Amino acid sequence: MAQADIGVTGLSVMGRNLARNFARNGFTVAVHNRSPHRMHSLVADHGEEGTFLGREELSHFVESLSSPRVVVVMVKAGAATDEVIDALVPLLDAGDIVVDAGNAHYSDTVRRQGTLETHGIHFVGMGVSGGEEGALTGPSMMVGGSAEAYARIAPMVEAIAAQVNGKACAAHVGPDGAGHFVKMVHNGIEYADMQLIAEAYNILREGLHLTPAEIGDIFAEWNEGELESFLIDTTAQVLRHVDARTGKPFVDVVVDEAGQKGTGRWTVQSALDLGVPITGIAEATFARAVSSGRAQRASAQQTLENNAGEFVIHDRDGFIEDVRLALYGSKIVAYAQGFDHIQAASQEFGWDINRGDVARIWRGGCIIRAQFLDRITEAYERNDALPTLMVDSFFADALGATVSAWRRTVSQAALAGVPIPVFGASLSYYDALLQERLPAALIQAQRDFFGAHTYRRVDAEGSFHTLWSTDRSEVEA
């Protein structure tokens, strides 16, 4: 008998916790997994949290859903997702809804929606952020797909989402691939945010020779102010943690090699395709790649000269404040670039994404949740056509208050040989926007010299080419 409000197939940690979250919020949840033992384990371990309908067969799982059916697919992105969708389609009716809640590439979501539309089935690409804890207690959810499909799932999705000031951290951000695109950019910003925090930690440790626990105390203090965020709090806790096996600071027994699952790389690749400079996110992604090149690093350490100086610090508290301000300024740039990326995709694909809504649903549940997302929401409420977040009055003032400290921090780190890829790239981007004239004029002249790519003049309309190999006269292109 059809009686479940929603179904979840794919019961690894994220799927399991999403199913529990739906059940805890009063929805009857059908659950299914290719390996039935996970389904049975969920029902046995957490059946008291709500009403679960465990089904071993996919057909019985679908039959247990109320019409129009809503099936949440939570399996590994890529071929595994396609396999589940292909198995579901013959069992579904026109008007039913398939929700992919995994970390799919947005182009796959666009393709899948097109395929399911031919069967009259709605396809929803839903980005879910917050990790396993967020999936259980309240994630941030970025939903793409038709408005009709969102109207059907909104009561359930918004009920299980994180809540901030009485508003759910879930929204319909746009059609087809919009939800997964926004989630991808969220993860790209997360890469930049984490790398910036790591760079700040490294500067404090190298400059002041502090212990990880002492730096953890600094981050805890920073978390009381404008840098307040989930990641700053996480950092303070990690740096204070002592390894039980060795008694050493936990961070010192972790191999200095950062992994990645691909969303940062996807973000950078997409930005290149759209022609959007997301320099902070790109450098953060490359920094993880550098960390993984351990053999290359070992060879360089044996061969190359450092020739670095020492930090010259006359005011300990002033140095710490400079690093804090540099972190804040760089963080603003990372978010501004991420929102520029979202806007470029929205225009390219006709998604009409509201950037203020995106900032609002990132305020709770997700990994990059932070106090200043409220300020971003307010900025786009003041002007939803901002050419860059950085020119909003609040953020322009904030950047102006950080830039001197930012320059001192970047300069000192560079002179001391401490790598600061995202601090440095973010400051360079800030400076590039402030230049009345960039050296790109020389690049364009070079392109015309060797490839006849033409150029435009500052004193005339149209495009021109110089006959470099003959008399060097100029002709209209």
Side-chain angles (χ1 to χ4, degrees), residues 28 45 82 134 202 207 220-221 305 313 371 383 451:
T28 298
D45 295 344
D82 284 322
N202 204 31
E221 184 177 338
E305 292 293 331
I313 300 168
Q371 179 191 105
N383 181 2

Side-chain angles (χ1 to χ4, degrees), residues 265-285:
R265 186 164 60 248
W266 291 350
T267 307
V268 176
Q269 290 167 341
S270 167
L272 289 171
D273 291 338
L274 292 168
V276 182
I278 56 167
T279 54
I281 295 169
E283 287 294 344
T285 306

Side-chain angles (χ1 to χ4, degrees), residues 29-32 39-40 43 52-57 60-61 64:
V29 187
V31 288
H32 168 270
M39 178 271 291
H40 290 299
V43 175
F52 296 100
L53 304 182
R55 297 293 187 265
E56 292 192 2
E57 298 297 329
H60 297 162
F61 165 75
S64 70

Side-chain angles (χ1 to χ4, degrees), residues 31-199:
V31 288
H32 168 270
N33 194 77
R34 185 176 62 178
S35 302
H37 75 273
R38 285 187 172 172
M39 178 271 291
H40 290 299
S41 171
L42 169 60
V43 175
D45 295 344
H46 304 288
E48 78 286 351
E49 294 181 344
T51 305
F52 296 100
L53 304 182
R55 297 293 187 265
E56 292 192 2
E57 298 297 329
L58 190 64
S59 59
H60 297 162
F61 165 75
V62 171
E63 289 169 1
S64 70
L65 298 170
S66 299
S67 185
R69 304 178 182 96
V70 179
V71 179
V72 176
V73 178
M74 199 60 165
V75 299
K76 187 176 180 181
T81 300
D82 284 322
E83 289 175 10
V84 172
I85 293 170
D86 290 345
L88 281 169
V89 166
L91 305 174
L92 298 174
D93 297 323
D96 289 345
I97 302 168
V98 176
V99 181
D100 177 9
N103 264 340
H105 193 283
Y106 72 93
S107 62
D108 286 337
T109 303
V110 174
R111 169 179 58 81
R112 288 164 182 152
Q113 175 168 318
T115 300
L116 267 65
E117 276 182 347
T118 64
H119 299 277
I121 298 169
H122 295 284
F123 187 75
V124 171
M126 183 170 74
V128 179
S129 179
E132 59 184 85
E133 180 181 352
L136 180 62
T137 62
S140 171
M141 289 181 284
M142 298 138 264
V143 185
S146 69
E148 181 183 350
Y150 188 71
R152 167 76 174 94
I153 68 174
M156 294 180 284
V157 166
E158 294 179 10
I160 73 163
Q163 307 289 318
V164 175
N165 298 330
K167 293 185 177 181
C169 293
H172 179 231
V173 298
D176 54 67
H180 276 143
F181 188 94
V182 169
K183 173 57 163 58
M184 178 189 75
V185 175
H186 163 283
N187 286 20
I189 295 172
E190 179 184 312
Y191 274 49
D193 215 342
M194 293 174 73
Q195 176 66 27
L196 284 167
I197 289 170
E199 290 177 22

Side-chain angles (χ1 to χ4, degrees), residues 356-390:
D357 279 350
V358 172
R360 178 182 60 78
I361 63 177
W362 284 352
R363 292 182 305 166
C366 70
I367 302 302
I368 64 171
R369 59 187 183 265
Q371 179 191 105
F372 93 149
L373 280 160
D374 286 322
R375 307 289 83 78
I376 295 177
T377 301
E378 292 163 3
Y380 286 118
E381 286 175 349
R382 284 190 289 271
N383 181 2
D384 63 2
L386 281 172
T388 170
L389 183 65
M390 295 163 63

